[in-house]
Amino acid sequence: MDSAARDKMQRALPTGPEWPEQERAEQLARGAALKWASGIFYRPEQLARLGQYRSREVQRTCSLEARIKSVVQSYLEGVKTGVWQLAQALEAVRGTREALGQARELLRDMAEAAQTLEPLREQVVQHKQLQALSQLLPRLRAVPAAVAHTQTLIDAQRFLEAYVSLRELEQLQEETCAHLGGLELPVFEGLGPLAEALGQAVEAAAGAAGQLAREDPALLVAAMRVAEVDAGRTTSLEQAPRDWRQRCLHALQQGLERVHFGTSLQPGPGALAEWLEALRVALPAELAMAEALVAPCCPPHYKVVQLWAHTLHGGLRRCLQQLLEGPELEAADTFTLLHWALHVYQGPEMMGSLELGPEADVSDLEPLLTLENIEQLEATFVAKVQANVAQWLQKALDGEVVEWGREQEPDTDLSGFYHSPLPAIVLQILEENIRVTRMVSVSLQRRVHGMALSELSAFLRSFSDALIRFSRDHLRGDAVVPHYVPYLLATLNHQLALSSSVSVLQPEWVVPGVLAPVEAELDKLQKRICRLVLEALLAELQPLFAVLPSRRWLSSPELLDDVCERTARFCQNFRHVRNPAVQLLLAEAERTVVLQYLRALMQGRLVCRGADERTQAAERLQHDAAQLQELFLGLGLEESVQCAPVLLALRELLNLSDPTLLGLEVAGLRQQFPDVRCEDGSGREETQEGLGGANAPVTPQRGSRLRPPGPARGRVPRAAPGRTQLSAGRPAALAPSWSPSTFQPRANTCTLAGLLLPLRVLCLTPDCPQNKVTSPYA
């Protein structure tokens, strides 16, 4: 190491105090030595060996110093070598810096020289371009003529030749651009429109594939080949792919939809059935034509038949959706559309035809009508049909009401029964609407069935209301009908016809009991008609019963003869009523006559002066009962349902001599006539609406206890001595009563509860003190 380097190192070393770590290490070493010495020389006998320890430590110290000196010497030699190498590197860096400066100066001189050569380079490029143009000039001069010739070929629909010419021009354009470095020449500006014109011509040919397949299949084949060849060519990055294949496929679909589902072909109002029928014929023919003619003209991967089927299905589906979004369809169009879409379209007449191949199957595609569409169409159809049915039924009812005012009796059938086409018309209208919906779906049939039953119930209510207006106008004199009762009886035949034929409205799939509301309305209608007939009978008989009872009645049967004669004349019209209604009418007519007879008997004040007159009254009751019984048996009433024998039972009460037996006789009558109506415990009678309407008399309800009346109850007021009278009892006890739930003839039934109390005074002997009483109803 030279003196200069040594001086630098000395200047680099720190000149300040020693390092604090060195001082701390020295202190630790001293402490460790003192600790070791104190441990060794703790005992006095160890001091003898002090010299040995001293000499040994001196040797160790000398050895350590020698080792340290060797290490320091080695370190200094390494430092010397490093310093020398750094000096050599510094000299090399200085030389490199000088060389780089010289190179920089050379590069600056070369850049200035290159700028002076730039015009020469441009001249070289232009020279090369001019050389290429000079070589291509004969071909470039022919480009305008070639473009015009290609356009002529396109116009002449010579697609293959036009495409070859176009490709030659495009190759010339690519070669020219390559030689000119991407420079576009104005002479090639017409190639873009020319290619577009050829693409449009090919697309137009694909759009008319069906027509070309029949008239000029070669042209269709040429168009398909041009599209396929162009799809296989490679294009540069600067050119966009023309994709004529996809354009042809799209044109095939659009042309097919335009032919069958164009805007001008959409069905107008009322023309939906004709349009669907035309599609039923056209679509299978179109698929057959595609399979036979179009498919051979197209590449196999086009799958023409499947494309045709899917395109027709999709176009038809969109057309139907647009149709449903427009004005609401009429009932006939709605039904036709539902039946066509659900049954005809997928049936063997169309897409399910055996003549079509498996590629024409559209069963896996979306259905023509969604569930929402079907729900909407069914609701629309039911609403329209309901409005039409209501209108038809109202017209039929109006026509029937007009018939009621005629001056001639109702029409009769071959059996002599009153007859009208109204029930047949009503059931035919409803049954046909239910039956025809079977062709569409079960859900629609259920909807229409429910609607039909609802409309029938509404019709029966309207019929009943019309009868009430008819009767009210006749009774008030607003519109006197010459044949009032016959037309009422004719309506009863209508009710019977509806009741016997309403089962046609209950198909097999309908749960039992669905006709219960209709049957309930028919029962109500029957009750109302019978009530109106009996009201007419009461109107004729009330003037005759007004003179009952009297002394003339006790001595002569003439009064009841008039009643029987008028009743017989009134009931002669019943022969035009069908069974079982005629038996029902006769039974209720007899019941009405008997109750009016007893009501008149109770309302009069005929006084029996003794047992003889009471016996005479009993004999008159027996005679009248036999006469009424004979009258109604002659009219055709079955003996098992007669009510007249109740008069014979009352006659037995008049022959009682012991008043204490009255309670037993009443109990016996109750067992003989179990369907009697009795007073409740308070002596008052419960009321219900009878056949006479709101103003009709009422009768006690069934089910209250029959208490045998007698003097012991303390409720019999006294009469004049020695007299027994028929009191003016409550009319409610003797009026005809009708059950609100049924309207059937009942055997041997009559309202006796209110009758027995007024008649009990007639059962007393003349000399009995309790015979001097009057009826509690006086």
Side-chain angles (χ1 to χ4, degrees):
M1 184 182 297
D2 56 358
S3 60
R6 189 180 296 109
D7 294 339
K8 288 183 179 180
M9 290 183 61
Q10 290 178 356
R11 288 194 298 268
L13 292 175
T15 58
E18 294 183 355
W19 295 344
E21 290 82 0
Q22 181 179 1
E23 182 179 359
R24 179 176 177 80
E26 185 176 357
Q27 292 177 358
L28 291 176
R30 290 180 180 274
L34 290 175
K35 185 176 181 181
W36 175 78
S38 63
I40 292 298
F41 302 108
Y42 178 73
R43 290 179 293 178
E45 60 269 14
Q46 296 293 336
L47 294 177
R49 301 176 61 183
L50 180 61
Q52 296 178 3
Y53 284 113
R54 181 179 297 166
S55 61
R56 189 173 59 187
E57 291 300 325
V58 169
Q59 292 176 1
R60 185 181 296 174
T61 302
C62 291
S63 176
L64 288 175
E65 288 178 355
R67 291 171 62 186
I68 291 172
K69 186 181 296 184
S70 176
V71 171
V72 171
Q73 185 67 30
S74 176
Y75 173 74
L76 291 176
E77 290 177 358
V79 171
K80 179 180 178 182
T81 303
V83 171
W84 180 81
Q85 290 177 350
L86 288 175
Q88 294 295 325
L90 180 61
E91 293 298 329
V93 168
R94 288 175 181 174
T96 303
R97 182 183 299 173
E98 293 176 359
L100 288 176
Q102 295 175 1
R104 187 181 297 110
E105 294 295 333
L106 292 174
L107 288 175
R108 186 180 297 111
D109 295 339
M110 291 180 64
E112 293 176 357
Q115 291 179 358
T116 60
L117 293 177
E118 187 66 27
L120 180 60
R121 186 181 293 107
E122 293 178 358
Q123 293 295 326
V124 172
V125 173
Q126 292 178 2
H127 177 73
K128 290 181 179 180
Q129 292 178 351
L130 289 174
Q131 184 180 4
L133 288 175
S134 63
Q135 294 176 359
L136 297 175
L137 186 59
R139 298 171 63 186
L140 293 176
R141 287 177 178 176
V143 169
V147 171
H149 178 66
T150 306
Q151 185 63 48
T152 303
L153 294 176
I154 294 173
D155 296 338
Q157 294 185 340
R158 297 164 63 180
F159 296 144
L160 291 175
E161 298 177 18
Y163 183 73
V164 171
S165 179
L166 176 64
R167 288 298 298 142
E168 291 177 353
L169 291 173
E170 289 178 344
Q171 290 175 0
L172 179 59
Q173 182 185 18
E174 293 173 0
E175 185 178 351
T176 303
C177 290
H179 286 89
L180 298 181
L183 179 63
E184 293 284 347
L185 294 181
V187 72
F188 295 109
E189 292 180 353
L191 291 186
L194 187 65
E196 183 61 26
L198 180 58
Q200 291 179 358
V202 171
E203 186 178 0
Q211 181 180 359
L212 291 179
R214 290 187 295 267
E215 300 175 358
D216 191 2
L219 180 60
L220 177 61
V221 172
M224 295 295 105
R225 289 183 62 186
V226 167
E228 287 299 307
V229 172
D230 187 76
R233 73 182 181 90
T234 57
T235 58
S236 60
L237 297 178
E238 293 80 8
Q239 294 180 349
R242 288 193 283 257
D243 205 5
W244 285 356
R245 177 190 293 171
Q246 294 299 324
R247 291 176 62 179
C248 285
L249 291 175
H250 187 63
L252 285 173
Q253 296 175 346
Q254 283 190 335
L256 193 58
E257 291 185 5
R258 184 170 56 253
V259 169
H260 294 284
F261 310 112
T263 305
S264 60
L265 300 176
Q266 295 292 331
L272 179 61
E274 299 179 1
W275 182 69
L276 293 176
E277 178 62 23
L279 289 179
R280 185 190 66 80
V281 178
L283 296 189
E286 187 71 34
L287 289 174
M289 184 273 299
E291 185 176 4
L293 300 179
V294 181
C297 298
C298 299
H301 61 269
Y302 275 30
K303 297 182 180 179
V304 171
V305 179
Q306 184 177 359
L307 175 66
W308 240 245
H310 290 188
T311 301
L312 291 175
H313 181 82
L316 178 59
R317 190 172 187 273
R318 285 190 294 272
C319 187
L320 293 181
Q321 294 297 328
Q322 294 175 2
L323 185 66
L324 294 179
E325 293 174 0
E328 194 175 63
L329 299 177
E330 296 297 329
D333 290 343
T334 304
F335 177 83
T336 302
L337 179 57
L338 282 171
H339 179 259
W340 192 90
L342 297 179
H343 300 281
V344 177
Y345 180 71
Q346 294 283 0
E349 298 180 358
M350 287 193 67
M351 311 308 288
S353 176
L354 298 178
E355 299 178 359
L356 300 177
E359 295 182 354
D361 186 18
V362 295
S363 58
D364 294 336
L365 300 179
E366 293 181 340
L368 289 180
L369 299 176
T370 63
L371 295 178
E372 293 77 8
N373 296 146
I374 296 175
E375 179 72 18
Q376 174 188 352
L377 288 173
E378 288 186 355
T380 301
F381 177 76
V382 173
K384 295 286 185 180
V385 170
Q386 185 172 9
N388 293 336
V389 167
Q391 184 178 3
W392 295 335
L393 294 180
Q394 187 60 42
K395 287 183 179 179
L397 179 59
D398 294 341
E400 184 68 19
V401 172
V402 172
E403 292 289 325
W404 294 346
R406 296 192 307 174
E407 295 183 357
Q408 58 184 6
E409 290 189 356
D411 298 332
T412 58
D413 57 11
L414 298 178
S415 300
F417 298 113
Y418 290 139
H419 172 73
S420 172
L422 177 65
I425 292 174
V426 171
L427 292 176
Q428 182 180 6
I429 290 173
L430 300 178
E431 194 270 335
E432 285 183 356
N433 281 283
I434 296 174
R435 176 175 50 82
V436 75
T437 54
R438 189 184 311 163
M439 301 170 58
V440 177
S441 64
V442 176
S443 62
L444 182 61
Q445 190 177 13
R446 293 180 185 275
R447 287 171 177 260
V448 175
H449 182 265
M451 178 275 299
L453 296 183
S454 175
E455 288 301 317
L456 180 57
S457 298
F459 170 78
L460 293 175
R461 290 191 293 269
S462 300
F463 192 88
S464 181
D465 295 339
L467 280 175
I468 292 178
R469 291 192 297 270
F470 172 66
S471 176
R472 181 187 60 201
D473 295 341
H474 173 73
L475 296 178
R476 290 180 179 177
D478 298 338
V480 179
V481 181
H483 300 284
Y484 172 69
V485 174
Y487 277 103
L488 288 179
L489 298 176
T491 59
L492 191 57
N493 275 345
H494 303 345
Q495 187 272 340
L496 290 175
L498 289 173
S499 298
S500 60
S501 304
V502 75
S503 59
V504 301
L505 301 181
Q506 187 173 3
E508 297 179 356
W509 48 266
V510 176
V511 296
V514 72
L515 295 180
V518 176
E519 294 172 350
E521 292 295 335
L522 287 170
D523 290 342
K524 291 179 182 178
L525 179 61
Q526 184 188 54
K527 295 175 184 178
R528 181 156 292 175
I529 296 172
C530 290
R531 185 177 70 224
L532 295 177
V533 172
L534 295 179
E535 284 179 354
L537 176 62
L538 286 175
E540 291 193 16
L541 297 182
Q542 279 178 352
L544 301 179
F545 282 115
V547 298
L548 286 176
S550 63
R551 297 295 174 184
R552 182 184 173 190
W553 167 73
L554 285 176
S555 60
S556 175
E558 294 179 359
L559 295 180
L560 191 63
D561 291 342
D562 294 340
V563 171
C564 293
E565 180 182 357
R566 189 166 298 184
T567 301
R569 186 169 61 250
F570 184 89
C571 294
Q572 285 300 319
N573 291 322
F574 291 0
R575 69 179 185 275
H576 299 290
V577 181
R578 295 181 179 274
N579 276 323
V582 63
Q583 288 295 321
L584 174 65
L585 285 173
L586 288 173
E588 296 300 337
E590 185 219 19
R591 188 168 181 270
T592 301
V593 171
V594 171
L595 291 180
Q596 287 299 315
Y597 176 89
L598 294 176
R599 181 171 180 264
L601 190 65
M602 294 301 98
Q603 286 181 343
R605 290 186 177 274
L606 177 63
V607 178
C608 294
R609 297 183 177 87
D612 295 338
E613 289 187 357
R614 193 168 65 244
T615 301
Q616 187 179 3
E619 292 176 355
R620 174 53 55 197
L621 280 175
Q622 181 179 8
H623 179 271
D624 291 350
Q627 189 173 358
L628 290 176
Q629 189 172 6
E630 182 182 358
L631 167 66
F632 284 97
L633 286 176
L635 291 175
L637 179 64
E638 297 177 358
E639 186 175 0
S640 60
V641 296
Q642 278 198 314
C643 187
V646 73
L647 299 180
L648 299 179
L650 298 179
R651 176 242 182 194
E652 296 298 330
L653 293 179
L654 291 177
N655 290 331
L656 277 178
S657 58
D658 187 358
T660 60
L661 300 177
L662 182 58
L664 297 177
E665 292 295 332
V666 170
L669 282 179
R670 184 179 180 184
Q671 294 179 358
Q672 184 179 359
F673 305 104
D675 200 16
V676 297
R677 300 183 182 273
C678 307
E679 291 183 334
D680 58 13
S682 63
R684 294 190 300 269
E685 297 171 349
E686 302 177 4
T687 61
Q688 65 177 359
E689 184 181 356
L691 287 178
N695 298 325
V698 293
T699 60
Q701 290 289 348
R702 186 183 306 180
S704 54
R705 294 189 303 170
L706 179 64
R707 298 178 181 271
R713 294 184 60 84
R715 296 173 55 193
V716 182
R718 297 187 177 276
R723 295 193 176 188
T724 305
Q725 67 179 14
L726 290 175
S727 172
R730 284 190 179 182
L734 301 173
S737 63
W738 308 90
S739 171
S741 58
T742 60
F743 192 74
Q744 300 295 333
R746 291 167 294 180
N748 296 332
T749 60
C750 189
T751 306
L752 298 178
L755 173 66
L756 298 176
L757 288 177
L759 284 181
R760 64 186 177 182
V761 295
L762 297 179
C763 299
L764 303 178
T765 56
D767 54 349
C768 180
Q770 295 165 344
N771 193 28
K772 303 174 183 180
V773 296
T774 63
S775 171
Y777 298 97

